Every structure is written in structure tokens, then in C-alpha cells.
Amino acid sequence: MIRVLLADDEGMIRSALAALLRLEPDIEVVAECADGAEAVAEAERLKPDVCLLDLEMPQLDGVEVTARLNRTIATRCVIVTRHARPGVLRRALVSGAAGFLPKSRGADEVAAVIRRVAAGRRYIDPEVAADALSDERSPLTDRELDVLRAGRRGETNQQIARTLSLAPGTVRNHVSTVLGKLAVDTRQQAVLLAEERGWI
């Protein structure tokens, strides 16, 4: 039996997917979580074989949950998302995700990916993988992307500095560099551009 944890902040999707997976004879859904922090806590407590994680969740996103769990337990993580862009795929792979697929896939395909990942193999959606091969790479450094990510909801430079344990002046310098590299006038424009291209 493959023990699976589901994490998605959209309750209807989470419960519907759980109900469909429970119809599979070899899959047991051991937990349903509504945010990333709960997913980490429940995964460390229950130690499921596979965690199926929505990319965008409150508190911690699916990539952050994957990175944390890969440091603490042997579970395998699959990230599902509506925004299956190449940049997001790269973040997921760096975090140690074993699977990556769009939410547009059917429940039978999700079950097949869970079995594949539980058996020790990886799964990357072929359409996203093909896009990644031809996608423009980000000109920003990892730290500059961290600054944009930490400020994507309009946080102030001081809030970003606290989140990343940086000095406010360092954050201002990173933002200035980002605006120059992307040839935009505001941090909001930089965030939108980075999101459109899947860099954050």
C-alpha cells in the first residue's frame, strides 16, 4: 500500500482528489493538509511514502515544503500546479522534487505518477520538460529571485529584509539591480515579469 499525503489550500480540489485516490486499491491517503506548514508537520509525523503538494499554498509553497522534507524524512514529493512553467520546474527539481505535473491531468494519471515515484523513479510532465529546454533562463541571481519572491505580495523592503535575514540596505541594492537587469521601473513590474516567465 502506498501511503500518500495531500496538501492543497483549495478544499474542494483536495477533497475530490483524495476521494478519487481512495478508490485506487494500492493507495491510502493518510492526511489532507490545507497549507505548507501543516504539510511539513503532518509529513514528519506520519512519514508517508509520497507527498502530493500544490505549488501555491499559504505559509510554505510546494517547493519549500519539498526542500524541508528532503532534509528530514525519506518521503518522495510530487508537485502539482496550475502554473507549470519551466522556471517553476527548475525550482522544483533543485528542491529535490521527484515529480512535477500540471493540475490539468486526470486522477488516473496522478495515481500513475504516484506509483512511479513511490517505486523510486521520477516523473516530469513531458510538455513542461519540452518547454524548459527552449525557455529563456533568468538573468537574476538566486538571491535576487529570493528578494522578488519575498516581496511578491507587496511587502516592504524592511519586511523582505526580516524574512531573508538581510539588512534593508542590501535589499534595496538587490531591488535596484533587479530593476536594471529587467529594464523595468518598479518592483511590482519586476515581480510580474518574473512570474510570467516562471522564474519565481
Side-chain angles (χ1 to χ4, degrees):
M1 188 68 76
I2 303 171
R3 301 173 68 249
V4 175
L5 176 148
L6 296 179
D8 193 317
D9 61 325
E10 296 180 75
M12 184 180 295
I13 291 177
R14 185 178 67 248
S15 58
L17 183 57
L20 290 169
L21 289 177
R22 286 188 171 109
L23 297 176
E24 302 291 331
D26 57 341
I27 292 177
E28 176 188 8
V29 177
V30 297
E32 299 177 41
C33 304
D35 62 59
E38 182 184 2
V40 170
E42 286 295 277
E44 289 180 342
R45 184 177 70 86
L46 297 167
K47 298 180 174 52
D49 301 303
V50 175
C51 291
L52 197 64
L53 306 167
D54 186 24
L55 174 67
E56 294 184 346
M57 294 186 288
Q59 301 193 42
L60 298 171
D61 68 23
V63 172
E64 292 167 324
V65 172
T66 298
R68 291 194 184 202
L69 293 180
N70 278 339
R71 292 195 294 267
T72 56
I73 59 175
T75 191
R76 310 259 296 160
C77 295
V78 176
I79 293 177
V80 295
T81 178
R82 296 183 195 280
H83 308 289
R85 297 178 298 249
V88 177
L89 170 60
R90 279 194 289 273
R91 279 188 64 219
L93 294 178
V94 168
S95 76
F100 189 90
L101 73 162
K103 278 188 171 178
S104 57
R105 298 295 180 256
D108 57 335
E109 292 177 87
V110 176
V113 170
I114 288 172
R115 293 186 185 100
R116 181 184 180 95
V117 167
R121 291 178 291 169
R122 303 181 83 180
Y123 177 83
I124 306 297
D125 181 79
E127 292 181 18
V128 179
D131 288 345
L133 292 174
S134 59
D135 186 60
E136 177 188 359
R137 288 194 171 273
S138 168
L140 307 180
T141 65
D142 289 344
R143 181 53 85 186
E144 290 162 356
L145 291 171
D146 287 341
V147 168
L148 284 186
R149 198 173 292 118
R152 69 196 306 174
R153 295 179 181 84
E155 290 83 351
T156 65
N157 284 348
Q158 287 74 19
Q159 289 172 315
I160 296 171
R162 281 196 296 274
T163 299
L164 299 178
S165 300
L166 296 173
T170 303
V171 172
R172 280 194 297 276
N173 291 339
H174 282 308
V175 170
S176 177
T177 302
V178 166
L179 299 185
K181 285 183 176 179
L182 300 185
V184 296
D185 295 325
T186 67
R187 184 156 53 88
Q188 183 182 21
Q189 290 172 330
V191 168
L192 290 173
L193 181 61
E195 287 180 338
E196 287 172 0
R197 297 188 179 180
W199 298 336
I200 62 173

